[in-house]
Amino acid sequence: MKNIYLLGATGSIGIQTIEIIEEYPEEFNLIAISGYSNLEKLIEIGSKFSLEMISVKDNHDADVIKEVFPDIQIVFGEEGLCELAKLNENDEDGVLINALVGMVGLKPTIEAIKIDRDILLANKETLVVGGHLVNALLKEHDAKLYPIDSEHNAIWQAMQGEDTKKIKSLIITASGGSFRDKTRDELKSVTLKDALSHPNWNMGNKITIDSATMMNKGFEIIEAAYLFNISIENIKPLIHKESIIHSMVEYVDGSIIAQMANPDMRLPISYAMFYPKRIKSLIEPLNFDKISSLNFKPVDYDRYPLLKLAIDCFKIGGSHRTVLNAANEAAVKLFLNEKISFLQIEEIVLNAVQNHQTIVDPSLEEIYDIDKTIKKEIFDRYNK
Ligand code: NDP
Ligand code: MG
């Protein structure tokens, strides 16, 4: 029986995680959850499980939730997320599932590592901004970090039983996002609604926009570099519009091992939750009689400047990754609130990165300071 501490329970990944917990009540015990703006969902989940802790946005929401669940410990804010991550410090069966969106997931991840708690990570922004800190801490502690992100989960599966020193490259597939068939010129007039209709995946709003700009693929390349300790030169994106092959590992002998399945996040989530066991999944199996072809196309970096920028920021290193992420979080939020156009996301992020003087190996404090400053500058300028 695993005890699940779930950050971001009310989101797309969080809700699918709960579906799996409900399907296998003898395997998982949900102990604690966090939510942010969706109190209704939080209450719905809280009513189904006997929880020990709920973390909410702020003091006010904490009072609301306390009324509903007087016997559950209610915490709030960033501090609350950290308390949840390290609740029951000595729980040997405890696993943290980090399904938060944004770099707010970094501190709780660090807290869990410090108490030697394994983490199933969906929250890629954590590694984008703090991969150097997370990896350094993992070396000192017993905690393990397992990926939920479908590409990384596929790579992890394709590495089972292999000598990872014999890996030549990782091939990270990309659907191309909502606008994959549009030219850059056509992007000038796209709307929020268009951007939110992803052809293959039904995900949270931020990652759906990140997929349309392909910043998501840039983040995933950085994520893979930290997770698998592989040089970024050997991590290659590849457009594969069907999202059937979730990624591939190329070995020195020329063999390429791919993981395939219908695009459904419940598979990577449950693979990570049950690892090293495999279970009968809730997802629809692949039917090769119905797949007429699988398509592949090299990435055009001029078409997706944020993908190129993310790779460049990783190469520059240090706080450039913080700025990349902070500007992107702010710009995507502005786009979701219809304050800026789609192409302004790129403009804002490129501008922030170009104006930054990098700090090598930024500390957690420096990361949070830079994040705050960059977001404030962008919101002050555009949030009118
Ligand atoms: P959602 O936006 O659907 O959910 C995010 C969760 O985080 C929600 O529970 C939300 O609460 C909470 N949250 C949002 N902002 C804050 C904040 N400032 N402080 C605390 N909690 C907050 O995101 P997804 O589930 O789509 O994605 C989660 C992570 O997983 C992201 O990093 C994403 O890139 C990654 N990922 C997602 C995939 C997917 O299929 N969705 C696939 C692969 C990776 P509330 O809803 O109550 O506001
Ligand atoms: Mg992914």
Side-chain angles (χ1 to χ4, degrees):
M1 185 88 140
K2 285 182 184 165
N3 292 328
I4 305 295
Y5 300 79
L6 177 59
L7 291 170
T10 48
S12 160
I13 295 286
I15 289 170
Q16 294 176 85
T17 302
I18 287 172
E19 229 182 281
I20 297 164
I21 296 174
E22 286 185 301
E23 192 71 18
Y24 294 96
E26 67 291 353
E27 300 274 357
F28 304 108
N29 186 16
L30 185 61
I31 304 276
I33 59 172
S34 84
Y36 196 67
S37 52
N38 194 345
L39 284 190
E40 208 179 309
K41 190 83 207 167
L42 206 57
I43 293 171
E44 183 194 316
I45 304 166
S47 314
K48 286 197 218 165
F49 296 89
S50 40
L51 301 170
E52 291 179 28
M53 181 184 275
I54 300 180
S55 176
V56 293
K57 183 169 67 183
D58 54 26
N59 205 351
H60 171 265
D61 288 354
D63 288 342
V64 174
I65 295 287
K66 257 182 215 154
E67 290 270 321
V68 189
F69 302 111
D71 300 329
I72 301 178
Q73 191 183 349
I74 312 295
V75 292
F76 62 90
E78 283 192 6
E79 196 53 32
L81 301 173
C82 291
E83 282 186 49
L84 189 156
K86 61 183 179 189
L87 175 67
N88 303 335
E89 191 169 329
N90 299 318
D91 178 2
E92 299 221 326
D93 301 317
V95 177
L96 177 72
I97 301 187
N98 186 343
L100 293 170
V101 63
M103 67 85 80
V104 70
L106 176 59
K107 273 186 190 165
T109 302
I110 286 179
E111 292 303 324
I113 299 174
K114 283 186 180 162
I115 61 155
D116 301 320
R117 177 164 288 165
D118 288 352
I119 300 157
L120 313 187
L121 187 75
N123 176 237
K124 63 191 81 186
E125 295 90 348
T126 277
L127 289 181
V128 171
V129 300
H132 60 297
L133 299 175
V134 168
N135 276 0
L137 270 173
L138 284 171
K139 278 195 190 135
E140 291 169 24
H141 292 271
D142 276 343
K144 300 221 162 28
L145 190 62
Y146 297 117
I148 283 180
D149 206 351
S150 60
E151 295 75 5
H152 308 76
N153 194 276
I155 290 166
W156 178 28
Q157 295 195 38
M159 284 179 172
Q160 293 304 307
E162 298 290 344
D163 177 355
T164 52
K165 289 190 208 75
K166 298 292 155 68
I167 291 173
K168 192 172 164 205
S169 73
L170 304 180
I171 301 158
I172 301 211
T173 51
S175 68
S178 336
F179 300 139
R180 64 186 176 202
D181 299 322
K182 292 204 186 305
T183 61
R184 284 199 62 80
D185 210 41
E186 286 168 333
L187 292 179
K188 285 180 190 153
S189 55
V190 293
T191 64
L192 174 61
K193 191 162 166 269
D194 301 331
L196 287 175
S197 2
H198 195 286
N200 303 353
W201 298 95
N202 183 8
M203 310 180 285
N205 286 350
K206 184 198 176 243
I207 187 177
T208 305
I209 304 305
D210 286 347
S211 299
T213 60
M214 281 266 242
M215 176 62 104
N216 183 51
K217 217 40 61 180
F219 283 172
E220 288 182 351
I221 289 176
I222 298 176
E223 185 185 5
Y226 283 116
L227 279 171
F228 305 115
N229 277 313
I230 287 182
S231 157
I232 200 155
E233 311 292 345
N234 298 327
I235 308 175
K236 300 163 191 165
L238 176 69
I239 305 251
H240 164 49
K241 68 175 185 185
E242 290 84 5
S243 296
I244 296 284
I245 294 183
H246 296 297
S247 277
M248 306 183 241
V249 181
E250 180 186 14
Y251 289 91
V252 286
D253 63 356
S255 284
I256 294 181
I257 302 185
Q259 186 262 344
M260 296 190 225
N262 275 319
D264 186 328
M265 283 308 293
R266 289 174 303 177
L267 177 57
I269 299 170
S270 56
Y271 182 80
M273 288 175 77
F274 280 94
Y275 180 79
K277 281 195 286 185
R278 278 193 190 269
I279 46 110
K280 192 171 172 313
S281 166
L282 302 166
I283 80 160
E284 190 188 331
L286 261 189
N287 181 350
F288 281 99
D289 295 342
K290 287 191 185 156
I291 302 169
S292 52
S293 61
L294 294 178
N295 290 274
F296 303 99
K297 205 169 76 172
V299 170
D300 171 359
Y301 289 95
D302 293 333
R303 169 67 182 75
Y304 295 108
L306 290 188
L307 169 56
K308 167 130 192 345
L309 186 73
I311 296 170
D312 290 346
C313 282
F314 181 84
K315 288 180 183 165
I316 298 167
S319 55
H320 259 74
R321 291 175 285 111
T322 310
V323 174
L324 176 83
N325 180 72
N328 185 61
E329 281 189 29
V332 171
K333 193 166 187 185
L334 288 166
F335 177 67
L336 287 171
N337 292 335
E338 300 189 88
K339 301 276 185 192
I340 59 167
S341 69
F342 181 73
L343 284 177
Q344 276 181 293
I345 301 175
E346 290 175 356
E347 197 184 294
I348 290 173
V349 179
L350 279 160
N351 190 38
V353 166
Q354 272 161 8
N355 289 326
H356 182 64
Q357 290 288 334
T358 201
I359 300 173
V360 183
D361 287 340
S363 66
L364 194 58
E365 238 182 19
E366 285 169 327
I367 288 176
Y368 275 76
D369 281 352
I370 295 169
D371 178 79
K372 209 167 144 194
T373 311
I374 295 284
K375 284 177 180 165
K376 184 173 182 311
E377 274 170 21
I378 295 172
F379 287 137
D380 284 353
R381 176 149 178 220
Y382 293 92
N383 215 353
K384 295 209 169 98

